[in-house]
Amino acid sequence: MEAGTKMQSPEKETRPELSTMSVQSVPTFPLRSTDEKAIPLIGFGTAEYPFGASRDTLKETIIEAIKLGYRHFDTAAIYQSEQPLGEAISDALRLGLIKSRDELFITSKLWCSDAHRDLVLPALHKTLKNLKLEYVDLYLIHWPLSLKPGKHDFPFKKEDMVPMDIKSVWEAMEECHDIGLTKSIGVSNFSCKKLETLLSSARIPPAVNQVEMSPMWQQKKLRKFCEEKGIVVEAYSPLGAKGTVWGTNQVMECDVLKEIAQAKGKSVAQVCLRWAYEQGVCVIVKSFNKERMKQNLDIFHWRLSDDELLKISQLPQCKGYPALEFVSDDGPFKSLQEFWDGEI
């Protein structure tokens, strides 16, 4: 997608007739260049807290997700879900659930302790070994901050935080792309200002910025900036991530969303996902419950009305996860305002 190219809204884009779409059919959108695979606009998230809590059952959950029609899977080095995902992909191929690995879109992320020029490539090699893959479709810098090398901990020690040399780290990401270990590269949790810094020296601009986004944290300024720069926005925690250390119940308990869901005969989760889809973003949704996994795909056969969209646009905004762990008087970022560059 070239800079300034807008991801079309559902009202304007060309889509299959709703009557012919099945639950297994998830719309896709191309990333920056035509030689890269289009990204499915719903991704299956594998992050939970504590990380690795469902490790023993995650492989079977992912296989079930593939059966239901999920083709985009989001993992990260810190999640401890790369290995179960890799095992699930191998089993899905063996069972004939997919004909080729190329049917899947796999995203992983570089953890902060590996966000150093000489550690990026080894980190991606380790990720690929965990996944049993030759390449990922998308590799993201997880946070705009580095940690002292050697540990993969969260929470981490405040004294381990160090400034990220974004120019050199991004050069290493570009090299990963150049040698074919990842089809696309991007970032996560980057503000407009941090994206500007990255873009000022990038040879390959980021294809994606994965950020928190929900009806209660709509990211209007950041979405406009990314649209102008040709960067696809991916929304994580679109339902508020209730029950996690970074989550809140403010989305699922919102009266306005509950009223819209009741009027539609849908769940609050479906309303949130449909809303995000109508904003033209990719959505990462996580549920390990089979029925909810199925429901979360059922957002393409209906629309929100203009009145409903207006009500959602007027909801009071409050970020669910401020990321206080990344702020310290002795660290690179002294305050939340500094970490998010005022976008909070």
Side-chain angles (χ1 to χ4, degrees), residues 91-130:
D91 282 6
L93 285 164
R94 179 176 54 81
L95 295 169
L97 299 177
I98 52 175
K99 295 179 181 179
S100 166
R101 174 265 180 269
D102 292 342
E103 293 180 30
L104 302 179
F105 190 102
I106 307 299
T107 299
S108 193
K109 307 179 194 77
L110 176 78
W111 184 238
C112 304
S113 55
D114 290 320
H116 303 272
R117 177 72 174 83
D118 59 339
L119 298 182
V120 175
L121 183 57
L124 181 50
H125 275 302
K126 184 176 180 180
T127 281
L128 293 173
K129 182 179 179 181
N130 288 339

Side-chain angles (χ1 to χ4, degrees), residues 10 16 78 113 147 158 229 288 301 307:
I78 195 66
S113 55
L147 295 171
K158 297 272 189 177
K229 302 298 182 181
F288 295 166
H301 298 46
D307 183 58

Side-chain angles (χ1 to χ4, degrees), residues 42-46 61-62 65 70 72-74 284-285 287-288 293:
I42 290 186
F44 188 87
T46 62
T61 300
I62 293 170
Y70 289 92
H72 176 181
F73 292 88
D74 183 88
I284 305 298
V285 61
S287 175
F288 295 166
M293 286 160 58

Side-chain angles (χ1 to χ4, degrees), residues 52-300:
S54 299
R55 185 181 177 87
D56 293 342
T57 58
L58 184 55
K59 181 183 80 168
E60 295 304 321
T61 300
I62 293 170
I63 289 173
E64 187 60 40
I66 292 173
K67 290 179 180 178
L68 289 172
Y70 289 92
R71 292 294 180 267
H72 176 181
F73 292 88
D74 183 88
T75 183
I78 195 66
Y79 296 167
Q80 299 180 32
S81 60
E82 289 177 334
Q83 192 168 344
L85 174 55
E87 293 169 356
I89 294 169
S90 296
D91 282 6
L93 285 164
R94 179 176 54 81
L95 295 169
L97 299 177
I98 52 175
K99 295 179 181 179
S100 166
R101 174 265 180 269
D102 292 342
E103 293 180 30
L104 302 179
F105 190 102
I106 307 299
T107 299
S108 193
K109 307 179 194 77
L110 176 78
W111 184 238
C112 304
S113 55
D114 290 320
H116 303 272
R117 177 72 174 83
D118 59 339
L119 298 182
V120 175
L121 183 57
L124 181 50
H125 275 302
K126 184 176 180 180
T127 281
L128 293 173
K129 182 179 179 181
N130 288 339
L131 291 168
K132 302 178 182 178
L133 297 177
E134 295 181 356
Y135 70 91
V136 291
D137 297 282
L138 178 63
Y139 197 46
L140 306 177
I141 296 176
H142 207 151
W143 289 92
L145 173 138
S146 296
L147 295 171
K148 293 177 183 177
K151 297 179 182 178
H152 281 70
D153 294 334
F154 185 87
F156 43 79
K157 294 180 179 178
K158 297 272 189 177
E159 57 264 31
D160 287 343
M161 293 188 293
V162 294
M164 176 185 286
D165 181 350
I166 184 60
K167 185 176 185 295
S168 68
V169 171
W170 190 251
E171 286 173 352
M173 294 285 286
E174 291 172 328
E175 289 176 13
C176 292
H177 175 272
D178 291 342
I179 61 178
L181 297 182
T182 179
K183 299 295 185 182
S184 296
I185 51 177
V187 296
S188 183
N189 300 297
F190 271 52
S191 65
C192 296
K193 184 177 179 180
K194 289 180 176 62
L195 284 171
E196 284 277 24
T197 300
L198 172 56
L199 288 167
S200 69
S201 62
R203 174 170 55 86
I204 303 173
V208 166
N209 186 20
Q210 186 181 116
V211 295
E212 178 187 345
M213 179 180 158
S214 75
M216 307 301 291
W217 189 244
Q218 297 181 17
Q219 296 275 23
K220 292 177 182 177
K221 176 184 175 182
L222 182 65
R223 283 193 282 129
K224 184 175 185 297
F225 178 89
C226 288
E227 178 186 311
E228 292 170 350
K229 302 298 182 181
I231 300 170
V232 171
V233 171
E234 273 189 343
Y236 72 74
S237 300
L239 313 181
K242 182 180 178 181
T244 68
V245 70
W246 59 85
T248 171
N249 65 357
Q250 64 183 2
V251 177
M252 299 302 285
E253 298 300 323
C254 174
D255 289 337
V256 171
L257 296 174
K258 285 182 177 180
E259 290 169 6
I260 293 173
Q262 186 173 9
K264 288 287 189 193
K266 302 294 181 182
S267 68
V268 172
Q270 287 173 314
V271 169
C272 292
L273 296 175
R274 178 68 203 189
W275 170 82
Y277 175 64
E278 292 194 21
Q279 306 313 299
V281 306
C282 175
V283 187
I284 305 298
V285 61
K286 177 258 167 184
S287 175
F288 295 166
N289 175 281
K290 181 178 177 180
E291 188 56 36
R292 287 196 293 271
M293 286 160 58
K294 186 176 181 180
Q295 289 176 3
N296 289 342
L297 284 177
D298 185 20
I299 65 167
F300 304 114

